[in-house]
Structures are given as structure tokens and as C-alpha cells.
Amino acid sequence: MTHPHCRPARVAAAALAALGLCSPAAHAQPQSQSQPQSPPATGNVVIYGLMDAALRHASNAAASRASLTSMEDGVMTGSRLGFRGREDLGGGLSAGFTLEGGIDLGTGSATLATAAAAADYGVDAAASRFFGRQSFVNLRGPLGGITLGRQYTVAHEMAVRWQPLGNPNHPAFSLFSSHHVPRQDNLLRLDGKVAGVELVASRTFGEQTRGDSANSAWALGAGYSQGAWSLSGVVQQMNNRAGTETRQIAALGGNYRLNGTLSLFGGLMQRKAAISLQKNTVWALGANVELHPLVTLSVQHLDDRQRGSAALTGSRRVSWVQASYRFSKRSDVYGGLDQNRVAGGYAKPAFMGTTGTQTGTTFGLRHRF
């Protein structure tokens, strides 16, 4: 008869085996001191980063509708410094970690991704975080992996694939991220691949004594790629910290490489809540055009229609065009134009002075290492 205390261990082992995370090495018995010691497992740690500084001039940046010229932490990519490690455990099994912090190059301070003024929807309040962009440990096998820590939400990861330059860093260029929350704390993620279909599931632990659901979240995602096209979708549900509201996200999108110089992108997302009357429908279309082996032109239009009560009904439309010139694989310069139009009961974004229209121009310099 199985001892009761052994059952959790067997259940855990079965779950790992289902993901292909179990290997002979993982279950080997400890060696006695008289036995020869195995050679150390191979592994490495890399230091990496991305530094992106942009000069931006925007109209309607204050309540007086005055314009503002500023140095921003990039517009499409945020500056970061990271450490990534991986150890080969044998039998196709590996362990790894990522620690990544955001940097504002203009001041040397931590970016907003590193701090959270208030806790809500799977995010804990923190005045500052040393590794606020990502901090997780994982275990991977032939069929998939398990990851624990602060990381990107499934919806955020999927939305990268529906946009010409991924999820924009600057809020003036971004719409999807404002609905699905880019990162969450205390997130457990499982991923694998079955018959060519990528499957992802996550559970965010709210860690609230008022109940397991408060400040918690879950998500399911799937993706499939074949030749020149890729399609992915996600459903995600998030609860606020007070346990009084549930936000639900459903989204689908993809990309298609038409030829060697043109790639098309598109996505559709719906957001609704269990209690609030607010509902949002967001769609986006974009493209990357290789004008020259060293020059890429990227364009995107995003449309967010909000409905609910008369006070909530409104819209936000974002359009931008950006061109980049690559000096090398690691260094490039870019410049572009963007416009935001906010109307009705849509909440005014923080970067705008008043509702209406804001137009911006950007010039940036970026280096990767």
C-alpha cells in the first residue's frame, strides 16, 4: 500500500513526465563516495542587453495642448540589461534562468516596467525592482517546459506575432498591451508542442488571503506556423486585487510573408469584464517592407472601439510609420511619424494633454550586445 506522503511526489513526477521533463539522470540514485563521480554538467551564463534612446517631439502633450520635446527610452524596444543561463542536465533535460532589468538611458534610472505604483490584475505593488522586466527559472525537456517567476503574459507573447515590430515599448504606439497586461508576478507557465501546434498555459497566483481568485489570472494560448504564414490565439482571464472584477481577453492574429520583401500582420482582440459595462474591440493591420538590404519600412494602424454606457462609448486610433537603417546586425538608427486620436468616453492616455489628436515625430539610436 502506498504511503500517503508519497502520493504528491508521484503526482509531480507524472506531470513532469507528461511534458518530457523526466530523464534517467533526473531519477538516478545518489552515488556513494566510493563510486566515480560524474563529470560536471555543461552550462553557461551570458550577459546581454539592448540600449535604445529616442528623441521625440509631440503635440498636445499638456492640458494647454502645448508640445513637448523629450528623450524617451525607445519607442518600439525598451532598454534592458539581462543575464541568461542554461545547464544541460542530460537526457534532453535542461535548467535555466533569466534576470532582466529595464533602464532609462536618459537618466540611468529604472523604467516603468521595473516598478508598479499599485497592485492589480496579477501585478504586485513595488517601488522598484532590480529585475523588473523578467525574473524566472525554468526546466525544459524534449516535449516542453515549465517556467516560474515574473514573466510576460501569454497574451503579450502572442501579440508580438501580430505586429510589424512586436509589442511597442512607448504607450503612444501600443494598444494591445493596455488591455492584456504585459507582465505578471508569481506566474507559472507550461508550454509544449503537439503535432506541430504550440500550446501554452499559465496560472498567476494572486497570493491574497481573501481568496485564491483575487489578483490571480489564467491563460491558454495556441500557435501554428507553416511555410510563410503563422497563426496564433489566446484567451486570458484576470482578477483584480480586491476580488471584485474579472477582465476577460480573447484574441487571434498572425502574419504572412508575401515574398522576400513584404510581410503582412494582423490581429483582433476583444476585452470585456464580468461587472463593468466597458467592452473594447481592437483590430490592427501592419506591414514590414524591405526597401533595401539595410533599410526596413514598417507601418501599422490600430483601432480600439469602446462601448458600454453613454459615458464610456468612445474610440482610440493609432497610426504610425517608421524606417530603420542598419549599420550592422547590432546597431541601427530609426525615425518615424505617429498619430493618436482619442474621442468620446475613451480614457485619455497619460501621454496626451487633452482628448483629441496628438502627432509625434521620433528619431532614435539603438545598439544590442
Side-chain angles (χ1 to χ4, degrees):
M1 182 175 180
T2 304
H3 193 281
H5 295 296
C6 296
R7 290 173 188 162
R10 293 194 175 186
V11 171
L16 292 175
L19 286 171
L21 294 177
C22 294
S23 69
H27 293 289
Q29 295 296 322
Q31 294 179 327
S32 68
Q33 293 185 0
S34 61
Q35 292 175 313
Q37 298 296 310
S38 300
T42 58
N44 57 16
V45 175
V46 297
I47 301 174
Y48 67 94
L50 186 153
M51 302 298 149
D52 188 344
L55 298 177
R56 175 174 165 80
H57 178 82
S59 64
N60 187 18
S64 62
R65 300 189 65 85
S67 61
L68 174 68
T69 300
S70 59
M71 181 176 292
E72 303 285 346
D73 172 34
V75 292
M76 297 299 171
T77 52
S79 300
R80 80 280 314 255
L81 175 65
F83 303 85
R84 183 182 297 119
R86 178 182 178 276
E87 182 183 17
D88 184 356
L89 302 176
L93 187 66
S94 66
F97 74 92
T98 294
L99 296 172
E100 186 178 281
I103 305 169
D104 183 342
L105 289 187
T107 63
S109 61
T111 62
L112 291 178
T114 309
D120 223 355
Y121 293 107
V123 179
D124 284 336
S128 63
R129 305 173 191 260
F130 198 68
F131 294 111
R133 289 185 61 89
Q134 299 184 86
S135 57
F136 61 77
V137 63
N138 60 28
L139 188 64
R140 303 201 61 81
L143 301 180
I146 180 172
T147 308
L148 301 93
R150 176 171 169 82
Q151 52 191 301
Y152 293 114
T153 61
V154 177
H156 192 73
E157 180 187 298
M158 294 298 178
V160 167
R161 312 175 190 188
W162 313 334
Q163 302 178 83
L165 297 177
N167 284 308
N169 177 60
H170 196 289
F173 295 76
S174 176
L175 263 180
F176 289 128
S177 299
S178 63
H179 295 301
H180 63 235
V181 181
R183 303 171 182 84
Q184 288 179 332
D185 301 317
N186 309 309
L187 192 153
L188 166 66
R189 169 193 165 110
L190 299 173
D191 67 87
K193 203 166 189 177
V194 179
V197 178
E198 177 190 357
L199 300 173
V200 188
S202 71
R203 174 74 164 90
T204 303
F205 298 93
E207 300 186 351
Q208 302 300 304
T209 56
R210 63 175 57 90
D212 289 340
S213 63
N215 207 38
S216 68
W218 62 263
L220 297 172
Y224 184 77
S225 299
Q226 179 66 42
W229 62 271
S230 175
L231 185 68
S232 58
V234 61
V235 291
Q236 183 169 295
Q237 180 169 296
M238 303 174 288
N239 300 305
N240 67 356
R241 186 180 179 88
T244 57
E245 181 61 282
T246 298
R247 184 186 301 181
Q248 299 165 337
I249 301 291
L252 179 70
N255 61 77
Y256 178 72
R257 189 170 183 83
L258 191 63
N259 51 48
T261 60
L262 176 62
S263 296
L264 304 176
F265 301 80
L268 175 67
M269 175 180 287
Q270 286 194 322
R271 165 192 169 176
K272 62 180 181 179
I275 298 176
S276 171
L277 297 175
Q278 178 181 331
K279 296 182 179 179
N280 293 74
T281 300
V282 185
W283 61 266
L285 292 174
N288 281 333
V289 185
E290 299 297 327
L291 300 178
H292 181 274
L294 300 178
V295 179
T296 300
L297 179 70
S298 301
V299 297
Q300 187 174 35
H301 176 76
L302 304 99
D303 188 292
D304 187 352
R305 301 295 178 93
Q306 182 174 288
R307 62 191 188 279
S309 65
L312 288 171
T313 301
S315 65
R316 178 184 168 201
R317 295 178 176 88
V318 181
S319 302
W320 58 261
V321 56
Q322 180 175 299
S324 65
Y325 176 83
R326 294 178 290 277
F327 295 110
S328 68
K329 291 183 178 180
R330 297 193 299 166
S331 301
D332 69 300
V333 293
Y334 60 87
L337 300 171
D338 65 270
Q339 185 178 79
N340 274 263
R341 288 166 289 170
V342 178
Y346 198 102
K348 179 186 69 68
F351 58 84
M352 292 182 68
T354 66
T355 57
T357 301
Q358 181 187 83
T359 302
T361 58
T362 303
F363 172 80
L365 175 61
R366 177 169 45 202
H367 177 75
R368 304 168 179 84
F369 63 90

